[in-house]
Amino acid sequence: MNTKKLAGIIVACTVAITLVIVIVILPLMSPPTITKLVDQTLVVPVGVENAPRVYFDVPRTGILKGTVEVITGQEISYYLYPEPSEPGWTMAKGESVLRSDFEVPLDTGRYKLIVVAYLPNQDDPNEERIVNVYLEFEN
């Protein structure tokens, strides 16, 4: 009789340990999921009022990895905000850059990236910049 009880306890412990491994440990060992959110080329005119905005949704908490790169033209600035945005609250920014790579932790929600060309070219004050924006999300 004691042998049957001991065998039952051993089986129950084995099942419990297997469940812990399957439910807790294996998901932690799986590689992160990477989702491309934006791969877009923008025409960025001079001035804040005409600055293009890129909106995107983050499906769950994770890391946003981004690259903003000027293809033609002078330096730009960019700002990442939650949507709706609160005054003065910037998640990430790059000012006066030709290329910038960034990583920022984000929660589930909607966000916008604004790309601005502040300073006009002295020879051509209406010069537009061509900028590539690439954003991916990792969780």
Side-chain angles (χ1 to χ4, degrees), residues 39-113:
D39 188 3
Q40 191 172 356
T41 301
L42 306 174
V43 176
V44 182
V46 174
V48 177
E49 61 281 348
N50 297 320
R53 288 153 172 74
V54 177
Y55 293 90
F56 59 94
D57 294 309
V58 171
R60 57 199 155 275
T61 301
I63 304 293
L64 177 72
K65 295 181 178 184
T67 300
V68 178
E69 181 175 21
V70 176
I71 305 301
T72 62
Q74 294 186 21
E75 297 173 332
I76 52 92
S77 296
Y78 67 87
Y79 306 93
L80 176 65
Y81 297 100
E83 185 63 24
S85 58
E86 299 173 19
W89 181 254
T90 307
M91 305 291 296
K93 67 180 176 179
E95 295 179 321
S96 300
V97 298
L98 289 173
R99 178 186 168 94
S100 180
D101 297 315
F102 60 91
E103 289 186 19
V104 61
L106 295 180
D107 290 326
T108 303
R110 185 157 178 83
Y111 295 86
K112 69 180 171 185
L113 181 77

